[in-house]
Structure formats: structure tokens, C-alpha cells
Amino acid sequence: MKILNVNAARRITCATIFVVATVSAASAQDAPPAAPPAASAKRGPRQPPPPKPGVSTPGVKREMTAITPDAVYAIEGTPDWQVITDEAVWVSNGPKNTIHRLDPKTNKVEAAITVARRPCSGLAAGFGSIWVPSCGEKVVSRIDIKTNEVTAVIAATPSQSEGGIAASPEAVWIVTDAKGVLSRIDPATNKVTAEVEVPPNSAGATYGEGLVWITTPDKNLLTGVDPKTNKVTFTVEVGPRPRFVTTGAGSAWTLNQGDGTVSRVDAKTGKLVTNIEAGIPGSGGELAFGNGHVWATAFQIPISEIDPAVNQVVRQWTGAGGDSIRVGHGSVWLSNLREQNLWRISLSGLK
């Protein structure tokens, strides 16, 4: 989600657009603001980030302007982290301290739920709930997916704003200390019941292929934790500065901010399979698995589609947009933080 992350409007031509409101703010998944210059220094114009190269494979690149979204949601604040459930798509909104529930049947915002201040570090779904870390109040809020109400606030501090939270069949997991603490939250008691030692400064978290997966950006590591035993199964070196992580096709995948590659690790052996060139280095971004493929997002290159059968980017869209990405309900869901909206794009509409 995991492993993080807003200011111009764009023209959007589409058959059907559903607009709820307009927005402006900053995100947990974007890069932190630069330190102010010294008083004696001359303040020059802010320099744009260097362009991301993307892939050079002929026929792979496309333009975002060629996409016609099925729906466009504009939400007061900034739509950011996402998680998908059977009946809804959930989107965090840090500046407004809310989680928005989107109805994929009507393409409307069903609810805006107030949570602890400054939701950050991903969203997770499990145990009939949405789990929301908060960097402002250093807790995790639990939302009942039937009532859209917060039912518990749990003392568990997200270690990093660009991180992640995971739900396995046994528990909910989040890194809560930069010293290297992965906390296990018991959904029956809404309390932390165990702590697992992982590498210091770990960040992203997800569950899949039977393990909880944790990224450590400054050590270039991916760690697999057995949720049944609370023990580390293996730790493997991947590409530089891995942060976001997803699972699928018998593997764990990391988005490496250092060089813009995506690493594939075999979930059974814990061995690195390959580092896939994606050309999307830098801060922010996210990674997801859906419809049999891996999907990455980054500013300037909002969608990159990786086919596990060939371990290559097979389609890549460049242009404005990007920040968080999920696949479900027959669609790609793309949070466009700087464009202040969220797109729903049918899988059949991506050419």
C-alpha cells in the first residue's frame, strides 16, 4: 500500500464523471517539505523534480490523456491511501481527518468517517473493519464496515507516515517503533498482544502468500514474518530503498524508490527472483496486485502494469496523476493527489 504519499487541475474528457467536491492539501505519501533556507541564502524559484525515465521498451508507453475514466471523484481534502472490500472502496483524507467510503455500484461517496488526526501509513481491511493508522494522534482507528462508525481507537503508533498496515487471518500488523518493532493487534481485544523484532527503520507492511511482509528502505531488505508463530521466516536483500510492498502470483513485490525498480521475491523460498526495470525512482508512489498483474504508481508515471509471466512492464502511462493504486470491482482505482481527485478506470478501458 506498503512501501509514501497537489495543486493543479487538469482537463478530463470522459463519458461519465461523478464529482463530489474540490480539494487542496498535502499527503503522507508525498515527499516531506524541504527545510527552509538559511536567512542569508537567496531564495530562488522552486525547482521541479527531475523527470522519471520510465521504460524504454518500444510500444509500452502511453499517455494518461488517452484514458477515459468511468468516474472521477473529487473529495474535499486529498484522496490518498486506499483499500478495497467486497462492497466498497475506502480512501483516506489526511487534511480532513476522514476516511471516505465509495460505492462501486453507484460511483458515489457513501460516507465520510472522521478518524484520529492525520490518517497515514496505509489502510487495511479485516475482521469486518477498516484499520486506519494516525500520525497525528499516534493511534490506529477501527471502523465497522457495516455501520461506518469508529468502534475502537488502539494505542499503536505508526513508525513512519510512508509505511503500511496489514491484516492477516490471525491479527492486524503495523511497525510501531523505528528501533524495529512489528506490533500484533488482537482484533478480539483491540490491544497489542505481541511484538516481533524486525530490522530498524522498517516501513511498509502487507499480508499475502501466508506471511506478513515488511520493507526496510535504508537497508534494502524485505522480511517475511509468520503470523502463526510471530517469528521472522526470512530476510532478503532487494532493490535500493524498497518501501511499498504487495503480494500475488506466489511472490512478494517491492517498489524500490532508490532506482525505480520492482523486486520480485519467491514467497516459498524467500529468494530474490529478479529486479524489474520500471523507471519510476523517487519519493511517493505505491504498489498493488490485481487481475493477475502488478500495478505501480508514481507521480509523472501514474500507472505501470507488470506481467508476472514475463517479469516486465507491459504497459505504462505517463502524464499527470498518481499517488495510490488498487485494483478491484473490475477497475483500477487511482488516487491523483496533485490533481485532487480519484479516478475509476475499467480494466477493459485500459488500452
Side-chain angles (χ1 to χ4, degrees):
M1 159 157 56
K2 142 188 195 278
I3 286 98
L4 238 78
N5 248 106
V6 236
N7 299 323
R10 64 170 291 162
R11 293 183 183 174
I12 304 170
T13 303
C14 59
T16 309
I17 297 181
F18 297 88
V19 177
V20 181
T22 54
V23 296
S24 171
S27 157
Q29 279 179 260
D30 204 352
S40 59
K42 292 184 178 180
R43 189 186 298 270
R46 183 177 180 180
Q47 298 299 313
K52 292 177 170 58
V55 295
S56 58
T57 310
V60 171
K61 283 190 177 180
R62 294 145 168 80
E63 294 292 332
M64 285 296 291
T65 52
I67 295 177
T68 299
D70 294 85
V72 177
Y73 301 81
I75 300 171
E76 186 181 356
T78 53
D80 196 354
W81 306 93
Q82 300 180 43
V83 69
I84 294 180
T85 58
D86 290 342
E87 302 295 330
V89 177
W90 307 77
V91 183
S92 72
N93 189 351
K96 296 296 180 179
N97 308 320
T98 52
I99 302 299
H100 295 260
R101 177 178 180 146
L102 313 181
D103 186 344
K105 293 181 181 178
T106 64
N107 285 328
K108 293 182 179 180
V109 177
E110 278 192 302
I113 305 150
T114 300
V115 294
R117 186 162 45 87
R118 198 156 68 87
C120 65
S121 205
L123 297 174
F127 309 98
S129 305
I130 303 299
W131 303 81
V132 187
S134 162
C135 285
E137 296 181 38
K138 305 184 187 315
V139 296
V140 173
S141 299
R142 180 177 185 174
I143 300 171
D144 188 297
I145 62 174
K146 293 183 178 178
T147 65
N148 297 332
E149 294 180 353
V150 175
T151 59
V153 178
I154 301 151
T157 302
S159 178
Q160 298 195 30
S161 62
E162 276 194 320
I165 185 169
S168 73
E170 299 82 8
V172 175
W173 307 81
I174 185 171
V175 178
T176 55
D177 195 313
K179 294 179 180 179
V181 176
L182 173 65
S183 290
R184 175 184 179 131
I185 299 172
D186 184 351
T189 62
N190 291 321
K191 293 181 179 179
V192 174
T193 57
E195 294 180 341
V196 181
E197 183 179 352
V198 293
N201 298 318
S202 290
T206 196
Y207 171 80
E209 307 292 340
L211 296 176
V212 178
W213 300 90
I214 306 298
T215 58
T216 311
D218 62 355
K219 300 295 184 182
N220 306 336
L221 297 177
L222 176 67
T223 299
V225 176
D226 188 335
K228 295 181 175 62
T229 63
N230 296 340
K231 295 184 181 298
V232 171
T233 301
F234 35 63
T235 298
V236 56
E237 185 172 349
V238 291
R241 301 199 64 79
R243 184 170 295 275
F244 305 104
V245 56
T246 191
T247 60
S251 304
W253 310 75
T254 65
L255 175 57
N256 308 316
Q257 293 177 322
D259 65 355
T261 60
V262 173
S263 294
R264 180 177 188 172
V265 172
D266 186 285
K268 290 184 178 180
T269 66
K271 303 296 185 182
L272 177 67
V273 176
T274 188
N275 291 324
I276 300 166
E277 293 296 333
I280 48 174
S283 63
E286 209 185 7
L287 200 63
F289 191 92
N291 199 43
H293 284 190
V294 177
W295 304 80
T297 184
F299 297 133
Q300 302 176 8
I301 303 180
I303 305 175
S304 296
E305 181 184 1
I306 296 171
D307 184 350
V310 295
N311 289 329
Q312 291 181 350
V313 174
V314 291
R315 294 188 294 181
Q316 187 172 73
W317 285 264
T318 65
D323 179 53
S324 176
I325 194 166
R326 287 293 181 269
V327 179
H329 301 287
S331 302
V332 172
W333 302 79
L334 183 69
S335 295
N336 297 312
L337 187 145
R338 290 175 176 166
E339 278 61 46
Q340 307 170 19
N341 59 39
L342 183 145
W343 279 16
R344 178 183 186 174
I345 310 161
S346 67
L347 286 163
S348 60
L350 286 173
K351 306 297 184 183

